[in-house]
Amino acid sequence: MDGGQPVPSPPVPFGNSLSDSSMSLEQKTTFAFVILLFIFLGVLIVRCFRILLDPYRSMPTSTWADGLEGLEKGQFDHALA
């Protein structure tokens, strides 16, 4: 080689550079919708893993029978009247 000069390579078209490089409105909308779906999927995956790791944290501590006063749990005779 002469003098250590790099030999320039011929320009290679990168992707779709010969056609219109800007995205249409429909493509932008579709791309944004897909990104939102991926974000939603990520949130659901994180939520499912949190429930799997600690399933009792998401359950309420009170039950339906806590509000009954004067009645023992399981006695329904006068609860509906």
Side-chain angles (χ1 to χ4, degrees), residues 2-3 7-8 10 17 20-21 23 25 28 31-32 39 45 47 49 52-53 58-60 63 65 68 75-77 81:
D2 15 56
V7 178
S17 64
D20 189 18
S21 63
M23 294 171 55
L25 181 62
K28 289 178 184 178
F31 187 71
I39 291 171
I45 288 173
R47 185 170 183 263
F49 272 110
L52 284 175
L53 293 176
S58 60
M59 289 185 180
T63 61
L68 296 177
Q75 291 181 346
F76 302 105
D77 298 350

Side-chain angles (χ1 to χ4, degrees), residues 3 14 18-19 45 53 56:
F14 202 90
L18 295 178
S19 66
I45 288 173
L53 293 176
Y56 298 108

Side-chain angles (χ1 to χ4, degrees), residues 23-76:
M23 294 171 55
S24 70
L25 181 62
E26 183 178 339
Q27 288 174 331
K28 289 178 184 178
T29 306
T30 304
F31 187 71
F33 184 69
V34 168
I35 294 296
L36 286 175
L37 283 178
F38 274 118
I39 291 171
F40 183 67
L41 179 66
V43 168
L44 286 180
I45 288 173
V46 167
R47 185 170 183 263
C48 287
F49 272 110
R50 289 177 66 188
I51 289 173
L52 284 175
L53 293 176
D54 191 9
Y56 298 108
R57 184 184 53 147
S58 60
M59 289 185 180
T61 56
S62 64
T63 61
W64 59 271
D66 286 346
L68 296 177
E69 296 177 11
L71 291 176
E72 301 233 358
K73 293 179 184 176
Q75 291 181 346
F76 302 105

Side-chain angles (χ1 to χ4, degrees), residues 1-5:
M1 292 273 177
D2 15 56
Q5 294 275 340

